[in-house]
Amino acid sequence: MAAATRFEGTGLLDGVSDEPTDAESLRDAVGDARLWVAVDDDDPAVGFALARWCGDDAHLQEVDVVPEWGRRGIGRSLVSEVLAWAVAHDRARLTLTTFTTVPWNAPFYERLGFAVVPQAKWSEALRESWEHERAMGLPMEQRVVMAAPTRPSLERPRGTGVA
């Protein structure tokens, strides 16, 4: 809930439930080893990442960091853990959906190696996820699907050849 306060005044979450991820979903994620929690020295949670499967992709469902703990690399570390999880499960990419109009969303993920996925390249599972977010009331005209590869590309840069 504290992380959501960063959106106050943006209008991006107007009309969307302000309920946090429910406890049962978090318990399921713990049991499935797809929830990562950042804690401070006294052990209170200061951030978390929640992932799930989305068709053949790993999908970063949510990343939250308490605002007072922001800009310390916690979000970056959490995303890195989720990427490692995707690699460990032999997924080709980690996908997510995010806002384009706030600097701590799409620009943050771009710096971490994510790129916008054109709609023509969305899987059926990503389309369903998108529609679920639309039904929740998110302003989809300000959101994108992004992905980061988890495997090195086999494509050679243009202009290179085998000697």
Side-chain angles (χ1 to χ4, degrees), residues 96 98 100 103 105-116 144 146-147:
L96 58 86
T98 193
T100 59
N105 276 192
F108 167 75
Y109 293 114
E110 285 173 351
R111 290 190 300 274
L112 298 181
F114 287 80
V116 172
V144 291
M146 300 182 84

Side-chain angles (χ1 to χ4, degrees), residues 3 7 10 16 30 33 35 51 55 68 70 78 81-82 86 90 92-93 119 124 129 131 145 150 160:
F7 289 95
T10 66
V16 178
V30 167
L35 176 71
E68 302 83 56
L78 288 166
E81 290 295 326
V82 178
D90 201 29
R93 66 183 183 171
Q119 196 168 7
E124 184 59 33
S129 186
E131 289 306 319
V145 171
T150 61
T160 63

